[in-house]
Amino acid sequence: TVTMNQKRWVTANFVSNVGRTNVWSGSNVWESVANWSLGAMPSTLDEVIIAAGTVILTQPRQIVALTVSNGAAVMFTNWNTSLTASNVVVMGGGALTLPPAFTNGQMSNRVYVVCTNFTLEAGGWIDADGKGYGRDTGPGLGGGFPTDWQPGSGHGGWGGNCQGYMHDVTGGGPTRGSLAEPTLPGSGGLSCSPATGSFGGSGGGAVRLIVGGVLTVNGTISANG
């Protein structure tokens, strides 16, 4: 379910004369020219099709159009990495995703798309589940001491308390960021007894879509911790 509290308009003007169609297959970074059908990275005038495998973005990229096919994925790494295009389509079975959870100081893991029109087809997925801060890390981490239960981390609201404690050093993690429009990744959960293998879980990653025209969501956008 997607709730839109605000509608934001951005200017995203692109040339109408599309250059070429560049098709990706395999798993590697965007700069790997051997994975592109044209033997070169896409230019800003190209339409791009991710036909198979995973392409890894490590820095901002701009193209005319992006289609992510069934079974293929685009992985966003580094906080400032973005994909800018006129039209973005994630087909059923395709995905925009992130690397595994990170630790304090790295500030990573955000799916960041700027486009005119965005379509997430049925069966398509924006997957940020468990790809935020790793266990025992993050600004929303709850306070506590080793017990059988530990508090949850906070974000737009307080994290869950443990064993009836209120919002104090043993309670749920503090609020941070915006409740209506959160922008940061989720913090990890506090581990209970690491010696016995009882660890906290990872927080959810961040997803930012700036769409100047039509946003169509028939698939799943998920950033669960």
Side-chain angles (χ1 to χ4, degrees), residues 142-182:
F145 48 87
T147 65
D148 291 335
W149 301 94
Q150 290 287 33
S153 294
H155 199 164
W158 281 92
N161 298 323
C162 76
Q163 297 183 331
Y165 290 109
M166 298 305 291
H167 304 310
D168 54 23
V169 293
T170 56
T175 59
R176 61 187 186 88
S178 167
L179 176 63
E181 192 176 354

